[in-house]
Amino acid sequence: MSEFRIHHDVNELLGLLNVRGGDGAEVYIDLLQKNRTPYVTTTVSAHSAKVKMAEHSKTPEDFLRKYDELKSKNVRNLDPLVYLLSKLTEDKETLKFLQQNAKERSEMSANAASSTTTSYNIPATSSKMSMQELEELRKKLGNVTASSNVPQSSEVIRKMLRDRHNKKNPTQPNPVFPNWVYDRPALIGDFVTSPTPVGDPVVAIGTMPLAAQEQALVEDLLYVLIGVDGRDIAAQPVLGRQSRSFIVDPSLDMSIKELVNRILPVASCYSTITRFTEEKSSFEYGQVNHALTAAMRTLMKEYLILVTQLEHLHRQGTLSLQKLWFYIQPTMRTMEILASIATSVDKGECMGGSTLSLLHDRTFNYTGDSQAQELCLYLTKAASVPYFEILEKWIYRGIIKDPYSEFMVEEHELQKEKIQEDYNDKYWDQRYTIVQHRIPSFLQKMADKILNTGKYLNVVRECGRDVTCPDAKEVLYTLKERAYVEQIEKAYYYASKVLLDFLMEEKELVSRLRSIKHYFLMDKGDFFVHFMDLTEEELKKPVDDIIPPRLEALLELALRMSTANTDPFKDDLKIDLMPHDVITQLLRVLAIDTKQEKAIINAEPTEVSLSGLEAFSFDYIVKWPLSLIINRKALTRYQMLFRHMFYCKHVERLLCNVWISNKAAKQYSLHSAKWFAAAFALRQRMLNFVQNIQYYMMFEVMEPTWHIMENNLKSASNIDDVLCHHTSFLDNCLKDCMLTNPELLRIFSKLMSVCVMFTNCMQVNIQTLLRKMWAEHVDALQSDSGFEATISKFDSNFSTLLLELLDKLSIYSTNDCEHSMINIIYRLDFNGFYTERLEKMAIERSQKTAA
């Protein structure tokens, strides 16, 4: 069981038990992971657990009956559940809590049901009911009981299965047997029951001599054994899945009746098997059940041949009741096993993989009984043929041909083009999925490899290349699982290699990723200098005033004028003006697969008019099958990283422009003013902050993480490994660049805003003062207290926010083991300027925690 599955199940259990507070799910998850074992221990302890549960039950017979019923239906995980329940009965504290919880839940259910329960107009207990009212009430109660207990008719079940199939495959409707097949019960081969009373009312069989009674009963039994009522033995009507019972003339001699009652179970088994084979051979029940019924019919031929031979002996007058009992005994075991399997498949409503699981388990359960095991092995081999044919097409060619929804892999109608449109598209995960109850138990361990094998081949097929596994061999059922496990593994390794080579060599996946790195991770420095110089004026406009074709033209010019011109995939780079600012887009990414996802996706675009710089991003055209790796979700993460760094680069340029303005002002005595020196120092601190943040993100996060991913891709053995490494790379970059922590991002965003406001203020103030000096023809100005106060306020805000950021980074790097983030502190606090203040903040925080 995966860590995610354990986490999900623990949270679900805590929610069902209404557990609030406490240590949380993490404590229980850690305990489970530390104490779990790779060995299955519940199977060995299932019997003792069942006995223990029966002892604790108020009604042991009902418990054991329900257990046997569920076991006959082949309910999965039944034994582990019983084992868990037996362990719970030993834990008195947990048992007491569960009893209290059950009591509270039942009270809540009763309160809820009291307002919705259907009511009948029953007279008050003080009044007397008339016979008519009593009869009416009895009918109503009888109808309710009958509707809840009577099983659905075979025709209703067939129609339901047929409708389900036709809904899934509207172009390939299920073939249907003509109505006369079902309207003529005599064609089925089972008993045709009639209300005619058993026996001749004139001459009762009990009045006949003993020898005559025996001969008459032998003749009756020969008829009953092939599904035809006899003179003194008649079949009772059956309802639903009941076993057939018989009525024997009560006047029959007791010694003969005793022997007859020993033989009649064979006739009951024959009736069960005949009804099963006739019903399950319909197209609606699938190919596996059809193959099973065909195998059963083959075995039944031997039984019918035996009955024919006995009939021949009876005509010769050499067949007595004792001889009939003797000859029929070898067949009784076979008929019992066939009837038991038929009943279990019918009760469990098994189809496809679930039928094979039941047959496989029966085969193993008969270990030690060679005759019974050989019989079940024959049935399992026959029934598995159509299933393995579907399996072979899937693992050898990547094709699913499953008209009756029996195979473990289910196909869903999804369009691969949506991978480039929907940032949360789950094509790779949801196009083909595993259906748990269709997995045969002997293929359970290989289910994931079977799914992935076909998926890999299917991707290559959808690119127009026909692939067939060179090691393709017929898959046959055997008790030695290793035989077909080896075949599946060979097919899996071939499919993995074919798709991986196709993506890496023919589709140049790594080169594509490098191309994306050049632009989204700002790997091409000269390209960005050209591009930002060309688009600076255009991106200052409101986003509604920007003409996208003009930006595209400028992008094309920047690509041709820089080293990016050598990139063969540069034409796939496009301009994208986003409807949201960078923070909103981040929230959309963080909300993927969470409860808030729908609300954020449906949220209206921001009402505040965005500038081109705030809305600008790159996009990239990726075609199938590379879009499996570089899908919209991955591109959205790339865009987040790009917009984050692009904005940092923009702020750096603004601060550099202030530096240029300062250089221009140096020819005057303006620089001697006190506020000018403070502004110069603050601008230098801001520039140091922005440049160090950029250096950290590019050279301490992205470059090392990129090299790790590249090395991992070289050793990847399949496409899932590639997906995992690529996703891990993006997630690590987002996390280490502070984009997955809303608290850090909020502080960083405020720091950037302070820097931008400072640059705007400085540019306006310097230009105003210079114009004033030119107008008054002076070489120096008196100190302006207003400017000095403004600069002091900017300094205070920047220092406070920077200290807050460093403090939070220190906490996360220590508590959450985010060791890479501590590098930011080392770079920004390289001379220990902030160390004393950070230590003071840490002491104050610890004192508050202790208090």
Side-chain angles (χ1 to χ4, degrees), residues 509-619:
L509 173 62
V510 176
S511 299
R512 281 280 180 179
L513 290 173
R514 287 197 188 112
S515 174
I516 290 174
K517 178 175 178 277
H518 292 333
Y519 310 116
F520 286 86
L521 304 187
M522 303 183 73
D523 195 14
K524 293 285 186 183
D526 63 323
F527 160 71
F528 279 99
V529 171
H530 283 300
F531 179 73
M532 294 185 83
D533 287 341
L534 290 170
T535 60
E536 187 172 14
E537 294 302 319
E538 189 73 17
L539 291 177
K540 286 180 181 178
K541 300 176 183 177
V543 66
D544 294 334
D545 297 339
I546 293 176
I547 304 171
R550 178 171 172 76
L551 273 183
E552 293 282 357
L554 294 173
L555 171 63
E556 179 75 14
L557 184 60
L559 287 169
R560 304 300 176 191
M561 291 173 60
S562 65
T563 54
N565 192 39
T566 59
D567 180 15
F569 309 114
K570 61 181 178 295
D571 294 333
D572 291 329
L573 185 67
K574 300 298 175 186
I575 296 292
D576 191 8
L577 296 175
M578 310 291 287
H580 312 281
D581 59 15
V582 67
I583 303 297
T584 305
Q585 189 186 15
L586 173 70
L587 292 175
R588 289 170 68 91
V589 173
L590 294 179
I592 293 174
D593 294 332
T594 65
K595 295 178 181 178
Q596 293 82 20
E597 180 180 3
K598 187 175 180 181
I600 290 178
I601 291 174
N602 296 331
E604 293 294 328
T606 177
E607 295 180 1
V608 180
S609 178
L610 299 176
S611 68
L613 278 165
E614 292 171 320
F616 176 77
S617 181
F618 282 139
D619 202 0

Side-chain angles (χ1 to χ4, degrees), residues 1-10 29 32-33 36:
M1 184 182 288
S2 66
E3 183 178 349
F4 172 79
R5 180 65 185 273
I6 294 173
H7 199 287
H8 173 76
D9 288 348
V10 169
I29 293 164
L32 286 170
Q33 288 181 327
R36 68 177 176 173

Side-chain angles (χ1 to χ4, degrees), residues 291-330:
L292 175 61
T293 58
M296 283 187 170
R297 282 197 174 105
T298 302
L299 293 172
M300 289 287 285
K301 286 180 183 177
E302 298 178 7
Y303 167 78
L304 294 172
I305 290 170
L306 173 63
V307 175
T308 304
Q309 290 172 346
L310 292 175
E311 187 178 354
H312 181 66
L313 291 176
H314 175 62
R315 287 178 181 173
Q316 292 178 347
T318 59
L319 184 65
S320 65
L321 203 56
Q322 285 288 349
K323 283 186 178 180
L324 175 60
W325 167 241
F326 173 77
Y327 287 129
I328 207 72
Q329 280 190 68

Side-chain angles (χ1 to χ4, degrees), residues 647-697:
Y647 196 71
C648 287
K649 181 64 71 175
H650 166 64
V651 173
E652 182 190 8
R653 286 170 65 90
L654 291 178
L655 289 168
C656 289
N657 288 338
V658 172
W659 179 81
I660 293 171
S661 298
N662 289 351
K663 295 284 287 183
K666 275 191 175 182
Q667 58 184 305
Y668 303 99
S669 300
L670 185 63
H671 65 278
S672 61
K674 186 178 179 181
W675 69 266
F676 186 86
F680 187 92
L682 179 58
R683 189 261 309 153
Q684 193 60 33
R685 286 174 58 205
M686 288 180 173
L687 189 60
N688 178 69
F689 166 72
V690 174
Q691 287 177 337
N692 275 288
I693 285 288
Q694 287 185 85
Y695 181 91
Y696 161 76
M697 290 191 294

Side-chain angles (χ1 to χ4, degrees), residues 685 689 751 798-806 828 834:
R685 286 174 58 205
F689 166 72
L751 276 167
F798 180 77
S799 299
T800 302
L801 288 169
L802 183 56
L803 273 170
E804 187 180 356
L805 178 66
L806 293 175
L828 296 177
Y834 299 106

